[in-house]
Amino acid sequence: ATLTLKFRTLRYSGHQKKRLKVFTANAPDHPLTVRLLVDVIAGVVIEPERVFFGDVLMGKRPTQTIQAKWDTSAGQPFEVTHVDIPGHDFDIDMAPIEDGNWRGTSVTLTFKEPPPLGLFSATALIRTTHPDYPRISLPMTANITGRVWVQSRVVYFGWVKGGTAKTTSILVRPFDSHVDLGEVSASSRDGRVQVDVVAKPGDPPAWRRLRITAPATAAPGRLDDVVLLRTDVVGEEITEIQVRGEVLGRGR
């Protein structure tokens, strides 16, 4: 048999190793393994393939650097002419790259102003002189958090069947080792959900799990509520967590 393979490089770069499993009728429990090796070095190689700032403490101006480059042994020279993040203000610094066979441009992206609390998402547009890649979209994400790190500030229950309880939990922890949460407690502002704080076995001592329950006694209709998370962190004594959902009638 002849196998025809297509490797979609997407944003892979450099030396790639893959394995292909081939199953046969004669030995269905013992597939053959074919090792695939490929070097992605031409075109426009982007490293890393996305701009991920990670967890960022509120009030800081995070920065990240990416590289747009090619390998001189196989690639075509190009220049980065412009980088833009539509709808957002960034300081953008560019510098040439010369690293072995690699050539290209290093692009450093820095927030001009500290981003607001919550999840940040945007797209960086990289424009080049390469005829095949004149415009490249690069996803950008960051989690802007206070010193009280909360896994999510919005909890979605979706549809909850009437007469049944549904529980979800989110992680609460210090932003870093310099933060002491102190006593952690929580309550429901409007009483539509039930809330408690527990320590999960296996978690570090400072971590807590916030359990939020849509009770079986909840009336049909919107489940919208606000959970008030309380800690001893000065300036962040109360953290609000939005709850969204809808309780269906028993016949639905």
Side-chain angles (χ1 to χ4, degrees):
T2 299
L3 303 179
T4 301
L5 310 177
K6 177 181 289 186
F7 178 72
R8 300 184 184 277
T9 61
L10 299 176
R11 297 188 186 278
Y12 291 107
S13 63
H15 303 292
Q16 300 296 319
K17 297 180 180 180
K18 302 294 179 182
R19 281 186 171 87
L20 174 70
K21 286 189 175 182
V22 182
F23 294 86
T24 64
N26 291 344
D29 297 329
H30 300 282
L32 305 173
T33 299
V34 181
R35 296 180 64 214
L36 308 176
L37 305 177
V38 61
D39 286 337
V40 184
I41 57 177
V44 176
V45 175
I46 303 292
E47 288 187 340
E49 68 275 7
R50 64 188 181 113
V51 184
F52 180 54
F53 295 93
D55 290 333
V56 178
L57 187 61
M58 186 171 53
K60 301 294 185 180
R61 296 174 55 234
T63 184
Q64 277 290 358
T65 299
I66 60 170
Q67 295 182 344
K69 57 187 181 179
W70 76 93
D71 188 293
T72 56
S73 65
Q76 175 180 338
F78 65 87
E79 293 182 0
V80 175
T81 59
H82 187 68
V83 178
D84 185 35
I85 298 93
H88 303 278
D89 291 329
F90 276 78
D91 289 326
I92 301 173
D93 297 315
M94 295 192 291
I97 295 172
E98 290 190 13
D99 182 13
N101 288 340
W102 290 102
R103 300 291 185 272
T105 303
S106 172
V107 181
T108 300
L109 307 171
T110 306
F111 283 82
K112 283 191 174 181
E113 300 292 338
L117 190 68
L119 294 176
F120 171 86
S121 179
T123 300
L125 301 178
I126 303 175
R127 303 184 188 277
T128 79
T129 58
H130 196 293
D132 298 327
Y133 303 93
R135 181 177 180 270
I136 300 172
S137 299
L138 201 62
M140 304 175 63
T141 55
N143 178 34
I144 316 304
T145 176
R147 288 175 293 165
V148 179
W149 187 95
V150 180
Q151 185 176 358
S152 176
R153 293 176 182 269
V154 182
V155 173
Y156 294 99
F157 274 99
W159 288 342
V160 180
K161 186 177 180 180
T164 62
K166 187 175 182 180
T167 299
T168 187
S169 65
I170 59 175
L171 175 63
V172 178
R173 62 170 174 81
F175 177 78
D176 56 29
S177 60
H178 301 291
V179 178
D180 181 7
L181 297 183
E183 183 178 353
V184 181
S185 62
S187 63
S188 164
R189 188 186 67 185
D190 299 324
R192 295 190 176 95
V193 295
Q194 298 168 350
V195 189
D196 62 342
V197 177
V198 299
K200 183 178 179 181
D203 282 348
W207 291 17
R208 295 292 182 270
R209 301 280 174 167
L210 179 60
R211 294 193 307 192
I212 305 173
T213 300
T217 56
R222 301 293 297 177
L223 191 66
D224 295 358
D225 203 342
V226 176
V227 171
L228 304 176
L229 174 68
R230 295 178 175 84
T231 69
D232 292 335
V233 178
V234 176
E236 298 183 32
E237 290 86 353
I238 296 180
T239 299
E240 293 190 356
I241 300 169
Q242 305 292 321
V243 179
R244 298 287 182 265
E246 182 174 357
V247 178
L248 303 177
R250 292 179 182 268
R252 297 175 64 186

